[in-house]
Amino acid sequence: MKFMVIVKANKDTEAGVMPSTELLAAMGKFNEEMVKAGVMQAGEGLHPTNKGARVKYAGGQSTVSHGPFSPTGDLVCGFWLIETRSLDEAIDWMKRAPFGGGSEIEIRQVFAAEDFGEALTPELREQGERLRAQAGRK
């Protein structure tokens, strides 16, 4: 099962405060453990929202808003894409992440092709597989 681990932003990450060398080293060690265990597929940190934008869609139109965005508790400052046997295993891994007090993450299961049932025709499934393979080669 694949999971997206969403790291919530806080006032420091939104202010552009960079992590300390000690935290970067601890995070590198944690990531190395996940890679060696075959769990981690991707993971990155994100710049503050003042360097980002949102696109909203309604009535066939799109509207763009540039950051910064108000801190609602739903802002994201990083992510991992991991693969584990269960949500409990994903939770066990993330309990070991070297975050300090006040940090928060959210773990969400990624849809698999089987989750879409008959709506995902063989042609659409083949297209998805082909595009993922092409994207993985970059």
Side-chain angles (χ1 to χ4, degrees):
M1 304 170 89
K2 286 185 183 177
F3 295 93
M4 173 69 75
V5 179
I6 300 161
V7 182
K8 300 286 186 86
N10 59 38
K11 66 177 176 60
D12 287 341
T13 60
E14 279 298 291
V17 176
M18 299 303 287
S20 67
T21 301
E22 291 78 18
L23 180 56
L24 290 172
M27 196 62 73
K29 181 179 178 213
F30 176 63
N31 288 341
E32 190 168 0
E33 290 173 14
M34 287 199 296
V35 168
K36 285 181 179 175
V39 169
M40 184 175 161
Q41 297 187 345
E44 302 289 345
L46 303 175
H47 282 273
T49 61
N50 65 2
K51 295 183 177 180
R54 287 182 175 161
V55 182
K56 290 186 178 183
Y57 306 91
Q61 300 290 318
S62 58
T63 306
V64 177
S65 302
H66 291 273
F69 304 117
S70 59
T72 61
D74 292 330
L75 300 179
V76 176
C77 70
F79 71 91
W80 281 283
L81 182 62
I82 64 173
E83 186 162 0
T84 60
R85 288 182 294 268
S86 65
L87 174 60
D88 287 339
E89 184 182 358
I91 292 169
D92 287 342
W93 273 104
M94 288 303 125
K95 284 181 174 178
R96 298 166 52 191
F99 289 118
S103 297
E104 183 179 19
I105 64 167
E106 182 175 321
I107 303 171
R108 305 268 304 271
Q109 187 173 352
V110 175
F111 279 110
E114 301 75 44
D115 296 325
F116 295 101
E118 294 178 11
L120 188 66
T121 65
E123 294 80 17
L124 291 173
R125 180 184 294 254
E126 188 280 325
Q127 178 189 40
E129 291 170 355
R130 179 176 42 80
L131 293 174
R132 277 189 289 284
Q134 286 176 341
R137 282 187 247 145
K138 291 184 179 180

